[in-house]
Amino acid sequence: MMDLVQKSSLLPGFSSILETKWKMVMNLQQHQKEGKKMNGRVKRSLCVSSSSVSNGGGGGGRGTEMVVETVEKPNKLLSSNFEVFSGSPMPYGATVKNGGVNFAVFSGGAVSVTLCLISLSDLQENKVTEEILLDPLANKIDDVWHAFLVGDFKDMLYGYKFDGKFSPDEGHYYNSSRIVVDPYAKAVISRGEYGAFGPDGNCWPQMAGMVPSSDFEFDWEGDLPLRHHQKDLIIYEMHVRGFTRHESSMTSSPGTYLGVVEKLDHLKELGINCIELMPCQEYNELEYFSYNSVLGNYKMNFWGYSTVNYFSPMIRYSSAGIRNCGHDAINEVKFLVREAHKRGIEVIMDVVFNHTAEGNENGPVLSFRGIDNNVYYMLAPKGEFCNYSGCGNTFNCNHPVARQFILDCLRYWVTEVHIDGFRFDLASIMTRSSSLWDAVNVFGNPIEGDLLTTGTPLDSPPLIDMLSNDPILRGVKLIAEAWDTGGLYQVGKFPHWGIWSEWNGKYRDTVRQFIKGTDGLSGAFAECLCGSPNLYQEGRKPWNSINFICAHDGFTLGDLVTYNEKHNLANGEDNNDGENHNNSWNCGQEGEFVGLPVKKLRKRQMRNFFLCLMVSQGVPMFCMGDEYGHTKGGNNNTYCHDNYINYFRWDKKEETSSDFYRFCCLITKFRHECESLGLNNFPTSERLQWHGHAPCEPNWSETSRFVAFSLVDSVKGEIYVAFNTSHLPVMVTLPDRPGYRWTTLVDTSKAAPFDFLSDDVTEKDTAIKQYAQFLDANLYPMLSYSSIILLLSPEDRA
């Protein structure tokens, strides 16, 4: 009971009522277990008058007097295959306990609830194996319906039918003929194979939740959280299916969690210590299924930003599919996390709590909408769906029930699957006020003048407060995409409690423009190199900035230097989709078929971008495939392509012409080696000096395209980094360091392997001698569109 009281503490005045009701039900359950039946009738305690507890549990001066009476009522919980008892209202979902399974689900507006048990074979035939109508007198406490079942659950699934008002204008979508999925189901079963149809070619076949079992334990082999300090991370954004689906991956289970495991050593070689998985919670890849006349194939929901269920892994990313009703799929995800941890790699999940796959009023009824649409979605006064997500609906994140759901979900992934953190898609939605926002609804007590319009941004959103101060979640990485499609842009201003990081979209935009040679950005570029103190100095650290230049959404790094304009015709939308402002530069000629000078400049620019990312304070993140220059043909919105456009090309990575991969590996290794490139605090003048063409004379004018700095490093001694993004070469005078001379480590204007002079370069000494006369004079010639890293070494006095 203590756990229940603690959970309900968010709603003042509710705990004592719920505890009393809970004791009454426990007495009833004990009677049932002892077999105290009277001619098929059960003696029950009938609780509370309708005025006892308000919807949402607020005390707020409302009546709390208990009305208790004893009645005899026919037992509705009759089952031919299961013993059915009253059960407990906590925890939500289906839970194995005391030799059976407890089922509990919240629904504030349903007048009746039916628990549907479905065998795996019956699911394929759209049949229900058994229906158990729950008794509101014995199987309901406040707005929680519950039952405890004992029996054989092998290959058994479950769902619910909710009966109540169907009135979209009032926000109600109850339909007693529709089986909906429990939001707390730990695996959702429909189709076992990616891209396969359901019965009769249905793209949306019936889905059901896995009934849990204690027979499928996972051996963690002593796995513990790695807890890398965030300042030390190098993040790799990955699509689970796309990473190994191409035939060149040569994996035994391409396109699956197991396929990723087979390629973890590639990430280790690349210097990655954190992977960020694009959505791998249950979604429907057939959601957008339609013929694409441009490519002659079919459009899919490849990216997965349209969640069906948040507790369930994406079943069709597993090699096991629906085998053992999803238990094996769950263990494959755990296996991926365990094996990543063995290699020192943390695993972060990209989660989409801003909207669901149910879309607007024309979308399907799958789960939340059929259970309690008013609670789970942000609604306008006449039942219309608010659309701050741009995807038809907006999750009602700051409603007490919805935010508890999000908290429970994240805790589950951390405690049960050992996930190391989360990136929150369109996280600004989580800071908006919920539908019917007022103090009574949220806190249980009225506050004068507290009424807010639905969707108003909040300074201290209850959900962010809960996550930030939760004892489990405080210890993992929490990363916000700090904007939404409703115009709320919070980069540098996201409510953070000192622990939240942000995808730094301003870093992306500034770096793209400066590297391609845009005037007026030298000062802003310098801020980016320092971890964006202009955004994060108040109450946060450099590592609260997640620095990126490219991500899944937008141009790849290779396309960023190849195309001035988007080329999205393959999407079948007449090139009207995707971002128009890419801040890209094709280096003089559009497309892939260009002359050798343009190709050389593009490779140089790619090295410039990657070097910038690795020498900036903050946390670098880059996208799958960028390490070898993956191209999507100029398509900046590849959400619908389950093909070579989005697949990692292992054959390209292995080609000798992919010298960029070598450069990336060496630069990430260099970053790990340098103490000064992952600082815990913003650099000060004691450690960092800015330079121009001459030492200590930086040029912050509107026409400057040159930025250089030297940085004291406890491992390397001192490093000198410079960027010349002008179309003209420049001779740089280096800082004078008596007794030492500068030596070249990186020069992006050089062809491989001389772009990075590692110890294994056979002609390294010859390359060094070519610049010796300049370095002896404390000078260095920089070509146009190039960047360098120099190191100090003791002067040879022989």
Side-chain angles (χ1 to χ4, degrees):
M1 187 57 213
M2 182 58 68
D3 290 341
L4 184 59
V5 172
Q6 288 174 341
K7 283 181 176 290
S8 64
S9 63
L10 293 171
L11 309 174
F14 181 51
S15 301
S16 60
I17 299 172
L18 191 56
E19 182 173 7
T20 303
K21 298 167 80 173
W22 173 235
K23 289 179 179 178
M24 294 165 61
V25 173
M26 286 295 95
N27 291 336
L28 169 62
Q29 183 169 323
Q30 184 62 32
H31 288 318
Q32 289 178 305
K33 288 184 176 180
E34 292 173 359
K36 293 184 179 180
K37 298 184 178 180
M38 300 173 295
N39 299 321
R41 298 161 75 83
V42 182
K43 196 169 186 178
R44 296 196 167 121
S45 296
L46 179 65
C47 5
V48 253
S49 64
S50 60
S51 62
S52 303
V53 183
S54 64
N55 182 21
R62 303 178 185 181
T64 56
E65 179 183 356
M66 298 297 297
V67 179
V68 180
E69 56 181 305
T70 301
V71 298
E72 292 181 10
K73 188 174 180 66
N75 184 8
K76 296 180 181 179
L77 305 184
L78 298 178
S79 169
S80 58
N81 297 306
F82 298 93
E83 292 182 81
V84 184
F85 303 97
S86 177
S88 59
M90 292 290 178
Y92 290 154
T95 309
V96 176
K97 57 194 301 186
N98 301 328
V101 178
N102 190 80
F103 298 85
V105 63
F106 172 93
S107 180
V111 296
S112 72
V113 176
T114 300
L115 174 62
C116 301
L117 298 174
I118 310 168
S119 68
L120 193 56
S121 57
D122 280 347
L123 181 72
Q124 309 305 315
E125 300 180 12
N126 290 322
K127 295 180 180 178
V128 177
T129 308
E130 186 152 4
E131 295 189 0
I132 301 172
L133 180 63
L134 302 188
D135 185 345
L137 300 180
N139 298 96
K140 184 173 184 284
I141 292 185
D142 199 65
D143 294 329
V144 182
W145 300 76
H146 47 82
F148 180 79
L149 274 64
V150 178
D152 182 8
F153 288 99
K154 180 175 175 53
D155 290 334
M156 192 64 71
L157 308 168
Y158 79 103
Y160 291 100
K161 290 181 179 178
F162 293 86
D163 195 7
K165 182 183 292 187
F166 184 86
S167 176
D169 288 347
E170 298 177 81
H172 299 302
Y173 286 81
Y174 292 107
N175 183 347
S176 61
S177 67
R178 179 69 180 170
I179 300 173
V180 298
V181 175
D182 180 3
Y184 279 79
K186 303 306 184 292
V188 173
I189 305 302
S190 58
R191 302 167 288 108
E193 182 181 347
Y194 188 96
F197 297 106
D200 303 321
N202 190 356
C203 290
W204 287 98
Q206 179 61 55
M207 296 179 288
M210 171 194 76
V211 177
S213 169
S214 57
D215 297 334
F216 297 93
E217 296 296 326
F218 180 77
D219 183 5
W220 280 105
E221 298 180 358
D223 178 72
L224 293 172
L226 295 174
R227 299 198 184 283
H228 292 320
H229 195 294
Q230 190 157 310
K231 68 182 179 62
D232 299 322
L233 295 184
I234 296 180
I235 301 176
Y236 185 86
E237 188 190 29
M238 173 197 293
H239 188 282
V240 169
R241 178 171 170 83
F243 192 51
T244 62
R245 187 64 187 89
H246 194 267
E247 59 185 12
S248 63
S249 74
M250 304 296 288
T251 55
S252 58
S253 300
T256 68
Y257 303 114
L258 296 185
V260 174
V261 173
E262 292 187 49
K263 293 296 187 179
L264 286 175
D265 288 339
H266 161 75
L267 301 179
K268 186 72 174 177
E269 179 183 48
L270 187 55
I272 300 301
N273 58 9
C274 181
I275 53 178
E276 181 180 297
L277 302 178
M278 287 175 64
C280 53
Q281 295 165 315
E282 185 65 21
Y283 72 93
N284 183 4
E285 73 278 12
L286 298 178
E287 181 177 359
Y288 311 140
F289 189 80
S290 60
Y291 183 68
N292 187 344
S293 60
V294 178
L295 295 183
N297 60 10
Y298 290 87
K299 297 172 69 171
M300 308 280 274
N301 176 7
F302 184 76
W303 285 349
Y305 288 91
S306 191
T307 312
V308 169
N309 182 276
Y310 294 90
F311 279 85
S312 170
M314 175 57 173
I315 296 296
R316 292 169 300 288
Y317 281 174
S318 71
S319 64
I322 60 175
R323 190 176 65 220
N324 288 321
C325 294
H327 287 96
D328 289 356
I330 294 172
N331 282 347
E332 282 193 23
V333 180
K334 293 179 178 179
F335 179 67
L336 165 58
V337 175
R338 188 189 74 189
E339 295 306 301
H341 285 177
K342 286 181 179 179
R343 292 163 175 80
I345 301 173
E346 294 190 337
V347 181
I348 288 176
M349 290 177 63
D350 193 340
V351 290
V352 190
F353 286 110
N354 58 78
H355 76 283
T356 78
E358 292 183 303
N360 60 21
E361 64 277 3
N362 298 315
V365 177
L366 307 172
S367 180
F368 303 96
R369 176 169 296 156
I371 295 174
D372 205 323
N373 186 71
N374 267 316
V375 163
Y376 287 111
Y377 293 115
M378 195 180 292
L379 305 178
K382 293 185 178 181
E384 306 97 330
F385 289 88
C386 297
N387 189 19
Y388 296 111
S389 68
C391 297
N393 66 54
T394 304
F395 207 67
N396 205 18
C397 295
N398 281 299
H399 186 284
V401 172
R403 70 175 188 256
Q404 186 66 51
F405 165 78
I406 295 173
L407 178 72
D408 291 341
C409 178
L410 298 177
R411 280 180 165 184
Y412 169 80
W413 285 101
V414 172
T415 58
E416 296 297 322
V417 192
H418 294 198
I419 292 297
D420 300 287
F422 305 93
R423 178 264 186 186
F424 295 83
D425 183 65
L426 298 184
S428 289
I429 282 175
M430 301 194 303
T431 72
R432 291 182 180 271
S433 62
S434 63
S435 298
L436 304 177
W437 176 276
D438 60 67
V440 174
N441 181 23
V442 177
F443 302 110
N445 295 299
I447 300 176
E448 186 175 353
D450 188 57
L451 185 64
L452 292 175
T453 303
T454 298
T456 300
L458 304 171
D459 292 333
S460 298
L463 172 61
I464 306 301
D465 188 349
M466 286 177 67
L467 303 185
S468 303
N469 294 290
D470 181 76
I472 293 173
L473 299 179
R474 277 189 66 86
V476 304
K477 279 73 177 179
L478 301 175
I479 303 170
E481 183 184 38
W483 56 82
D484 64 26
T485 63
L488 182 56
Y489 190 79
Q490 297 175 306
V491 172
K493 300 177 182 178
F494 190 84
H496 55 80
W497 274 264
I499 63 173
W500 282 76
S501 301
E502 298 172 6
W503 266 27
N504 191 344
K506 293 184 178 181
Y507 177 97
R508 172 200 60 205
D509 298 341
T510 299
V511 169
R512 284 189 178 193
Q513 293 181 83
F514 182 79
I515 293 295
K516 76 172 184 175
T518 304
D519 284 335
L521 290 169
S522 58
F525 181 72
E527 293 274 8
C528 292
L529 293 172
C530 291
S532 300
N534 56 318
L535 300 177
Y536 302 111
Q537 197 158 27
E538 293 298 324
R540 284 193 273 185
K541 302 288 187 177
W543 45 263
N544 289 124
S545 173
I546 307 299
N547 301 329
F548 69 103
I549 295 164
C550 298
H552 69 275
D553 189 2
F555 279 156
T556 66
L557 186 58
D559 288 349
L560 186 65
V561 300
T562 305
Y563 299 95
N564 280 357
E565 308 294 336
K566 66 182 182 183
H567 295 265
N568 296 3
L569 286 174
N571 299 352
E573 301 177 41
D574 296 325
N575 208 40
N576 292 318
D577 62 302
E579 178 60 57
N580 291 317
H581 305 288
N582 296 286
N583 293 319
S584 60
W585 179 42
N586 62 18
C587 296
Q589 193 173 349
E590 189 81 353
E592 296 184 44
F593 301 102
V594 296
L596 186 59
V598 173
K599 287 184 177 180
K600 287 183 176 180
L601 179 56
R602 288 174 178 176
K603 283 193 172 184
R604 189 187 308 177
Q605 285 291 75
M606 287 172 62
R607 290 191 285 263
N608 290 335
F609 279 120
F610 202 82
L611 186 148
C612 172
L613 192 62
M614 292 301 153
V615 300
S616 298
Q617 301 299 326
V619 178
M621 183 196 80
F622 63 98
C623 191
M624 175 185 90
D626 279 349
E627 67 266 39
Y628 67 81
H630 181 76
T631 179
K632 296 181 180 180
N635 193 327
N636 69 0
N637 188 33
T638 61
Y639 72 98
C640 59
H641 297 288
D642 179 37
N643 53 42
Y644 67 93
I645 294 176
N646 280 317
Y647 293 166
F648 189 102
R649 293 291 301 273
W650 294 93
D651 52 342
K652 298 294 184 183
K653 178 244 173 177
E654 297 299 334
E655 287 179 359
T656 54
S657 61
S658 182
D659 47 45
F660 185 60
Y661 176 68
R662 168 188 175 270
F663 182 84
C664 291
C665 289
L666 291 171
I667 288 290
T668 56
K669 182 175 182 289
F670 176 74
R671 179 182 174 90
H672 284 306
E673 291 173 347
C674 289
E675 164 269 340
S676 63
L677 295 181
L679 297 176
N680 194 43
N681 292 294
F682 296 99
T684 65
S685 58
E686 295 178 357
R687 180 188 284 266
L688 180 145
Q689 285 185 317
W690 295 106
H691 309 289
H693 295 162
C696 301
E697 295 181 12
N699 183 357
W700 308 121
S701 70
E702 285 295 308
T703 58
S704 173
R705 298 185 184 181
F706 184 88
V707 171
F709 66 92
S710 57
L711 194 62
V712 175
D713 187 272
S714 62
V715 177
K716 301 293 184 180
E718 189 173 1
I719 63 175
Y720 177 90
V721 182
F723 296 87
N724 178 29
T725 63
S726 169
H727 61 287
L728 300 174
V730 61
M731 181 66 74
V732 180
T733 302
L734 303 173
D736 185 26
R737 299 292 184 259
Y740 294 85
R741 71 190 304 272
W742 293 100
T743 60
T744 307
L745 179 69
V746 177
D747 187 335
T748 62
S749 69
K750 303 291 187 291
F754 304 109
D755 51 354
F756 194 115
L757 292 177
S758 56
D759 291 337
D760 60 348
V761 176
T762 55
E763 300 179 18
K764 178 179 178 180
D765 291 340
T766 301
I768 291 175
K769 288 179 181 178
Q770 290 178 344
Y771 278 81
Q773 57 181 336
F774 293 105
L775 292 171
D776 287 344
N778 229 28
L779 300 171
Y780 195 89
M782 290 187 68
L783 296 187
S784 61
Y785 302 108
S786 69
S787 50
I788 60 173
I789 298 178
L790 307 179
L791 301 178
L792 275 182
S793 60
E795 218 170 40
D796 185 2
R797 301 183 180 276

